Amino acid sequence: MLPFLMATMKFEKIASAGDILRWLVLLSGCALSVKLGFVRAGRSKGTIILPDRFIIMFLYIFLASAIWSILPIETALKTISLLLLYVCSFWTLWEYTDSISEAVIIRNTLYILGFVMTFNLVYGIFFEPASLMSSRFQGIFENPNNIGLVLGLALPLVISRWLITNHKLDLTITIIFLVNLLLSGNRTALFAFGVAIFFIFRSLFAKNPIQAFFIPTAAIIFLEQFIQTNFFAEKILREDTLYTAANRTYFWELAQDYITNRPDFGHGFGTEGLIHNYYGTSLYALKLRGHGVMSSYFGLAVQIGWPLTYLFFGLLWGFAVFCLFAKWRNYQLVTLAATIVSGLVIAIFEPAIYSAGNCFSFLFWMVLMLAIRRLYYQKLSLKDTTIKLVI
């Protein structure tokens, strides 16, 4: 996780090192999986399950889109990068999780994030104290939205751990994450986190109804007071940018125009960042700043058209909703599914879910793998002594 975070930092040398290391991580992970012969769960080599078939199908589609892509080489390279992420997540990390347990891989990831976000606050206190309260805090990161991207996924995981383990360290990391997220002023991540935490407490009610009632009640009382503060109004609500979602709606209008030209198959996977130049649109002249069309949903439709975009996100939403409602008493699975939902909400406003090199997509696809893995093993009725699933 650390190299992916380093690549988002504002310090040029650290970001450059992270940019190289994150691809080394993906390449090394794939090489390891090849060396192991694509083995998972102690089963025969190359065992393919249904989710693998869907992912591989989309990888073929992405690569095939190079035929009609506005820049075929970019489409091919982006597809290869996503292939690396898939192999690392669904094969190498899956096998690694079988060795050390789901709980440990989540714990280690959260502790690394906890260290980075603690350092982020310390840096802000000593080097940028004015930004802590006067503007959207970014600390060591290039953009405050980078904080929201990763913490929108990490917060549901760490709070879920704390509710079960009652470890003080988990509570400390929860507080550190919340402070970072609030200071960054990322509304999307806060909303997505709220959606995720609702389902987590809903599932917790089956295990511990007293805890599931009193903690949300206390949180609602605090929230009622918090939304009346100047901090909330100026740093988070930012009413002047609320209607346009910080100018994202203008990007979405541009996206709809682009999609209209190629609604069925799009402009080729991986071309979102090139689409404005292709149509001669000057973001500078429009006084807009951002990457692509500022939405994973519109962005994917620009790349591969609406029909395949509906199928792609429909499968992700369908899986998450199935876990949340059909398996609502399965607390660990619900935690993972709620985190996926948080990521899918964030993806409405950020073009990140299909970008293999960023910290959001790395964590998102890892969590998706863990959810699929847990559900798969439970269907096989494997014992925890063989495959360690519990927290």
Side-chain angles (χ1 to χ4, degrees), residues 41-58:
R43 298 171 67 84
S44 60
K45 294 183 179 181
T47 301
I48 301 293
I49 61 177
L50 184 60
D52 291 312
R53 297 182 190 277
F54 282 119
I55 294 172
I56 292 170
M57 177 191 74
F58 273 104

Side-chain angles (χ1 to χ4, degrees), residues 99-111:
S99 301
I100 67 170
S101 86
E102 174 188 298
V104 173
I105 196 170
I106 291 176
R107 183 198 67 192
N108 291 351
T109 301
L110 291 173
Y111 286 3

Side-chain angles (χ1 to χ4, degrees), residues 82-311:
L82 208 57
L83 173 63
L84 296 178
L85 180 60
Y86 159 65
V87 174
C88 280
S89 301
F90 279 78
W91 291 93
T92 311
L93 281 178
W94 184 312
E95 180 65 15
Y96 182 61
T97 305
D98 287 346
S99 301
I100 67 170
S101 86
E102 174 188 298
V104 173
I105 196 170
I106 291 176
R107 183 198 67 192
N108 291 351
T109 301
L110 291 173
Y111 286 3
I112 289 171
L113 284 170
F115 171 79
V116 172
M117 291 303 165
T118 299
F119 182 78
N120 191 47
L121 288 178
V122 172
Y123 175 87
I125 291 171
F126 286 97
F127 295 98
E128 297 180 356
S131 69
L132 289 172
M133 302 300 293
S134 62
S135 61
R136 294 186 63 193
F137 175 61
Q138 63 187 68
I140 60 176
F141 294 94
E142 185 179 10
N143 191 314
N145 288 334
N146 291 334
I147 297 174
L149 278 171
V150 68
L151 293 189
L153 298 175
L155 262 170
L157 295 174
V158 71
I159 287 183
S160 177
R161 272 188 58 85
W162 170 63
L163 291 171
I164 293 297
T165 65
N166 289 318
H167 289 167
K168 292 181 180 178
L169 183 56
D170 289 330
L171 177 59
T172 302
I173 293 175
T174 298
I175 294 171
I176 289 170
F177 283 177
L178 279 171
V179 172
N180 271 279
L181 186 55
L182 290 172
L183 290 174
S184 74
N186 192 294
R187 295 172 297 203
T188 303
L190 284 168
F191 175 71
F193 160 65
V195 174
I197 210 66
F198 168 81
F199 288 106
I200 290 173
F201 275 103
R202 178 174 174 264
S203 181
L204 180 66
F205 191 83
K207 285 179 172 289
N208 192 334
I210 295 177
Q211 189 181 34
F213 174 78
F214 282 104
I215 293 179
T217 301
I220 290 172
I221 293 172
F222 170 79
L223 184 62
E224 183 182 7
Q225 298 298 316
F226 177 67
I227 61 177
Q228 300 179 46
T229 63
N230 290 332
F231 178 90
F232 177 81
E234 296 172 5
K235 194 130 184 173
I236 298 175
L237 184 61
R238 305 194 308 279
E239 193 172 355
D240 56 326
T241 66
L242 193 60
Y243 180 74
T244 63
N247 291 335
R248 283 173 172 81
T249 56
Y250 301 126
F251 281 94
W252 300 346
E253 290 172 3
L254 291 173
Q256 292 179 71
D257 291 338
Y258 302 151
I259 296 167
T260 300
N261 294 320
R262 294 189 182 186
D264 297 325
F265 298 103
H267 300 77
F269 181 69
T271 59
E272 181 189 6
L274 313 168
I275 198 67
H276 300 298
N277 288 336
Y278 178 76
Y279 282 100
T281 303
S282 172
L283 296 181
Y284 179 79
L286 295 173
K287 298 181 179 179
L288 296 176
R289 184 176 62 179
H291 176 77
V293 295
M294 297 303 291
S295 169
S296 294
Y297 295 79
F298 280 116
L300 195 60
V302 165
Q303 296 171 74
I304 61 172
W306 275 125
L308 289 169
T309 298
Y310 286 135
L311 179 60

Side-chain angles (χ1 to χ4, degrees), residues 73-88:
I73 186 65
E74 185 73 10
T75 296
L77 291 174
K78 289 287 187 179
T79 304
I80 292 171
S81 70
L82 208 57
L83 173 63
L84 296 178
L85 180 60
Y86 159 65
V87 174
C88 280

